[in-house]
């Protein structure tokens, strides 16, 4: 492990907010372009850009010291990382949605519902907690189209403004999890570099 910190971020909804927090604390980050390791104006901090679902994996392994992710992604990954700080951005919810004409929570013929999701673990856990049997179909994106094409009856996906659901004729039926951005930290790194961790927490949370 180097003495500096490596912060894992995912391109997408949380990236701009996290970089804006760093900018407010006086740290500038250049346009990443196609680079995946991005230096910052602070010699003790660089950024690692990965897929959203991979942030907990990089942090758990120590390849990154810290990361910014959503509680949705973190619970799905079930990674062994510290969660030192909830961040004041990235609020959204993980919800069950279905086409307006599809019944919920039971299908009329008693058929086992098929659910498409990027969150198979959380979807299974939720319906298991209700004692309901479902078939979960894992997809990587564009989940909202699955019921329209007959791939699934319902979906479990993130809802922010609700625009994507509305645009695809889906309505929300239940909330599974309220999600927010969270700072996650590698256990060993936090022990070894506590001062640097606290400084970064001050910058991102302030
Ligand atoms: C998320 C989610 C929905 C959409 C919800 O996808 O999977 O599709 O945002 O946002 P809304 O309620 O404001 O419409 P994201 O944009 O993160 O991209 P992805 O589908 O590639 O994962």
């Amino acid at each position: 492990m180097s003495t500096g910190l490596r912060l894992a971020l995912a391109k997408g909804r949380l990236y701009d907010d996290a970089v804006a927090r760093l900018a407010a604390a006086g740290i500038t980050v250049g346009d990443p372009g196609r680079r995946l390791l991005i230096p910052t104006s602070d010699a003790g901090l660089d950024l690692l850009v990965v897929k959203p679902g991979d942030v907990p994996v990089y942090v758990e392994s120590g390849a990154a010291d810290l990361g910014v992710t959503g509680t949705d992604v973190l619970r799905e990954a079930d990674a062994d990382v510290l969660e030192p700080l909830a961040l004041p951005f990235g609020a959204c919810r993980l919800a069950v949605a279905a086409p307006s004409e599809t019944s919920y929570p039971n299908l009329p013929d008693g058929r086992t519902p098929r659910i498409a999701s990027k969150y198979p673990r959380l979807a299974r856990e939720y319906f298991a907690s209700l004692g309901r049997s479902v078939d979960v179909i894992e997809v990587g994106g564009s989940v909202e189209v699955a019921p329209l094409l007959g791939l699934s009856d319902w979906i479990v996906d993130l809802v922010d403004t609700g625009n994507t659901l509305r645009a695809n004729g889906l309505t929300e039926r239940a909330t599974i999890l309220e999600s927010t951005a969270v700072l996650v930290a590698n256990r060993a790194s936090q022990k070894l570099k506590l001062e640097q961790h606290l400084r970064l927490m001050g910058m991102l949370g302030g």
Side-chain angles (χ1 to χ4, degrees):
M1 251 179 219
S2 71
T3 54
L5 291 183
R6 176 158 294 159
L7 176 68
L9 287 175
K11 280 271 187 66
R13 53 183 64 234
L14 302 182
Y15 185 88
D16 292 343
D17 284 321
V19 168
R21 290 256 148 190
L22 292 177
I27 296 183
T28 51
V29 178
D31 178 5
R34 298 294 297 165
R35 280 180 308 173
L36 302 177
L37 273 179
I38 308 164
T40 72
S41 60
D42 184 323
L45 178 68
D46 67 12
L47 306 185
L48 167 68
V49 181
V50 296
K51 292 270 181 200
D54 291 341
V55 170
V57 180
Y58 278 89
V59 174
E60 182 177 27
S61 73
D65 299 279
L66 297 117
V68 173
T69 185
T71 31
D72 55 331
V73 169
L74 187 57
R75 300 285 169 262
E76 179 67 25
D78 198 26
D80 181 20
V81 292
L82 300 171
E83 292 173 56
L85 189 64
L87 297 168
F89 53 85
C92 56
R93 57 199 180 277
L94 189 68
V96 186
S100 316
E101 65 281 5
T102 302
S103 61
Y104 180 89
N106 296 302
L107 296 177
D109 51 5
R111 195 164 48 78
T112 302
R114 291 162 305 150
I115 299 172
S117 187
K118 286 183 289 191
Y119 300 84
R121 174 189 156 82
L122 293 177
R124 276 192 201 99
E125 256 181 31
Y126 175 72
F127 286 100
S129 77
L130 300 178
R132 295 186 175 277
S133 158
V134 296
D135 287 335
V136 175
I137 302 160
E138 184 172 356
V139 292
S142 307
V143 185
E144 290 85 353
V145 85
L148 305 179
L149 300 179
L151 177 66
S152 73
D153 301 293
W154 310 330
I155 66 166
V156 165
D157 200 20
L158 271 196
V159 183
D160 180 7
T161 61
N163 288 340
T164 312
L165 291 185
R166 277 188 292 279
N168 291 287
L170 303 175
T171 53
E172 239 175 299
R173 303 302 174 90
T175 301
I176 295 182
L177 173 79
E178 298 285 350
S179 181
T180 181
V182 62
L183 184 69
V184 292
N186 175 269
R187 289 181 181 280
S189 169
Q190 198 191 68
K191 272 199 192 124
L192 292 170
K193 306 179 190 177
L194 183 59
E195 258 179 49
Q196 294 102 304
H197 278 244
L198 292 174
R199 186 168 151 258
L200 185 66
M201 283 164 62
M203 292 190 290
L204 286 170

